[in-house]
Amino acid sequence: MAIEFTKYHGLGNDFILIDNRSSSLPVLTPEQAVKLCDRHFGIGADGVIFALPGENGTDYTMRIFNSDGSEPEMCGNGIRCLAGFLADLEGESRNKDLYRIHTLAGTIAPQLMPDGQVKVDMGLPRLLAREIPTTIAPAEEKVIKQPLELAERIWNITCVSMGNPHCITFVEDVAAIPLETIGPQFEHHPVFPQRINTEFIQVVSRDYLKMRVWERGAGITLACGTGACASLVAGVLTDKCDRTATVELPGGPLQIEWSEIDQRVYMTGPAERVFTGKL
């Protein structure tokens, strides 16, 4: 049976989107997703996203397989792309701009904005060591500026979960970080039992951060939405940035806010359709 797909990207973080609304299980296996994500022998993507029927009163369910076949809890750029994809699927029958999406990280609410951007309520950041999870600190303590020895130096790390785990470290120059060698060492460090996404952050000003990321299960990517959210939270916790800031990634900027009112994190950025096809 032919399977239709649409290729989307959010700041260069690219995904294969599949209409899976007729089944509560993904129509592809993780092994098939790996082949499709191959940039030489497949379509090429950082992951495959499935739009499934909603659960527990939500509009839809999101499942995603990374390019290595692993399944993350959620993906910030991916959920913006999913919102755009759902709007395309619904077409003229669409009667809402705000979707409630069931994910492995909980319910996430992306909203289509009049200017074409997508604003996402990313929920509350989780800060305790057991919530990351990490063993670098006692389970009920926050991990803020904790020293970690790796690659023959000491890194001060702050850990935040946005439904998926992030380790943030602030550096003088993000361009100087050898991401392809340092990234895997963070991802597979034994203090992170479920592996880790790692963000390297350069503070340009209190409302402007530069970020490079090594994503768990995907490696170097041009953007990471949950990582940008986690990085702003880490910046606030370490008094390096304000609660609203632009986070510049290699693929472009995201607007991130950690609200003082409801303590939730909000991300605003683009989602662009690239092409459609059939498998």
Side-chain angles (χ1 to χ4, degrees):
M1 182 179 68
I3 299 174
E4 296 183 350
F5 71 89
T6 302
K7 178 80 176 285
Y8 264 83
H9 81 87
L11 299 179
N13 196 190
D14 56 343
F15 304 95
I16 299 162
L17 280 292
I18 293 178
D19 181 0
N20 209 126
R21 293 176 295 172
S22 62
S23 173
S24 60
L25 296 175
V27 295
L28 299 176
T29 66
E31 292 75 18
Q32 289 172 315
V34 170
K35 292 180 179 178
L36 291 178
C37 290
D38 190 291
R39 297 190 183 278
H40 299 288
F41 298 102
I43 297 167
D46 292 320
V48 179
I49 295 175
F50 305 89
L52 298 94
E55 299 180 24
N56 303 322
T58 58
D59 299 307
Y60 298 98
T61 294
M62 172 185 177
R63 295 276 301 274
I64 176 171
F65 294 148
N66 284 326
S67 57
D68 71 348
S70 61
E71 182 171 10
E73 298 85 351
M74 218 283 288
C75 174
N77 287 315
I79 204 161
R80 293 201 318 276
C81 291
L82 177 61
F85 179 59
L86 292 172
D88 286 345
L89 290 178
E90 294 179 352
E92 294 182 359
S93 68
R94 180 166 67 91
N95 58 7
K96 63 174 65 178
D97 293 322
L98 178 68
Y99 293 107
R100 297 183 73 250
I101 308 295
H102 175 75
T103 77
L104 296 180
T107 301
I108 307 293
Q111 181 176 10
L112 300 166
M113 307 302 288
D115 62 358
Q117 299 274 94
V118 181
K119 182 176 182 179
V120 186
D121 176 353
M122 300 289 285
L124 299 170
R126 302 161 199 177
L127 305 176
L128 300 181
R130 63 173 171 80
E131 295 175 310
I132 305 302
T134 179
T135 60
I136 198 170
E140 299 300 320
E141 290 187 7
K142 297 176 182 178
V143 182
I144 301 174
K145 292 195 291 188
Q146 184 80 28
L148 175 67
E149 186 174 355
L150 185 148
E152 299 182 347
R153 61 168 283 186
I154 301 297
W155 305 79
N156 288 319
I157 65 169
T158 298
C159 293
V160 177
S161 172
M162 294 303 306
N164 58 353
H166 293 272
C167 167
I168 300 95
T169 185
F170 293 89
V171 298
E172 291 295 320
D173 181 9
V174 290
I177 298 297
L179 206 52
E180 60 283 345
T181 57
I182 293 293
Q185 295 182 60
F186 272 95
E187 179 181 358
H188 297 282
H189 197 284
V191 299
F192 304 116
Q194 295 181 15
R195 299 188 293 160
I196 199 80
N197 301 285
T198 307
E199 286 77 33
F200 300 87
I201 304 298
Q202 177 182 339
V203 179
V204 179
S205 66
R206 290 192 64 86
D207 63 355
Y208 203 97
L209 309 176
K210 283 187 176 182
M211 167 181 149
R212 292 179 69 202
V213 59
W214 178 273
E215 288 199 54
R216 178 187 62 166
I220 297 173
T221 61
L222 295 177
C224 176
T226 54
C229 294
S231 296
L232 179 120
V233 170
V236 173
L237 293 174
T238 56
D239 195 30
K240 293 182 182 294
C241 72
D242 297 333
R243 296 184 77 98
T244 300
T246 298
V247 181
E248 180 189 325
L249 304 107
L254 289 172
Q255 307 303 316
I256 309 296
E257 176 192 3
W258 187 13
S259 172
E260 281 192 277
I261 298 172
D262 60 14
Q263 298 300 310
R264 302 175 78 85
V265 180
Y266 296 88
M267 169 189 64
T268 303
E272 299 186 27
R273 183 174 55 187
V274 183
F275 60 84
T276 62
K278 281 186 178 182
L279 302 175

